[in-house]
């Protein structure tokens, strides 16, 4: 009887364990900000906790949605201009809504860095879902 009870407890414990989803590298998916730093005149360095709701969502159909504090702030089309200059750093440019000027972007695994604004702010994002 004790073995049966132990077996039932073990099965229930294993069934209760959540499987964590594997987050694939690459641009498509949801990215949440983790750190913002930089600036020419007033240097800023802010750290953001998981669940802050400041998110970019990139889809395979070249659409994006941007959220601030879980509220949709903008959406539209995006594309990536690949770096074609072999003498320059291999940084691609992220362009929103048909703009010709964009933001330098680097992706390494599930981390993304965007260089934004005139003060060369670095926004670092963590991929939170595919």
């Amino acid at each position: 009887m004790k073995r049966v009870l132990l077996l039932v407890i073990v099965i229930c414990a294993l069934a209760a364990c959540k499987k964590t989803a594997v987050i694939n590298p690459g641009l498509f998916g949801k990215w949440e900000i983790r750190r913002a730093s930089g600036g020419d005149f007033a240097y800023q360095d802010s750290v953001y906790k998981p669940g802050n709701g400041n998110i970019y969502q990139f889809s395979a159909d070249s659409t994006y949605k941007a959220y601030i504090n879980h509220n949709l702030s903008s959406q539209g089309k995006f594309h990536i201009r690949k770096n074609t200059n072999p003498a320059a750093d291999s940084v691609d440019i992220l362009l929103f809504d048909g703009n010709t000027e964009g933001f330098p972007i680097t992706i390494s695994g599930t981390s993304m860095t965007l260089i934004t604004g005139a003060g060369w702010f670095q926004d670092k994002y963590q991929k939170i879902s595919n």
Side-chain angles (χ1 to χ4, degrees), residues 40-63:
D40 285 341
F41 300 109
Y43 184 81
Q44 152 191 330
D45 192 0
S46 300
V47 177
Y48 297 85
K49 293 181 181 179
N52 63 68
N54 296 318
I55 294 171
Y56 274 114
Q57 179 178 345
F58 298 101
S59 299
D61 64 355
S62 296
T63 59

Side-chain angles (χ1 to χ4, degrees), residues 11-68:
I11 289 172
C12 289
L14 290 175
C17 292
K18 286 186 177 180
K19 292 183 180 180
T20 56
V22 174
I23 304 296
N24 297 325
L27 180 64
F28 303 136
K30 287 186 178 182
W31 297 84
E32 188 173 56
I33 195 164
R34 292 293 187 260
R35 186 173 193 170
S37 61
D40 285 341
F41 300 109
Y43 184 81
Q44 152 191 330
D45 192 0
S46 300
V47 177
Y48 297 85
K49 293 181 181 179
N52 63 68
N54 296 318
I55 294 171
Y56 274 114
Q57 179 178 345
F58 298 101
S59 299
D61 64 355
S62 296
T63 59
Y64 77 93
K65 292 181 181 178
Y67 298 86
I68 298 175

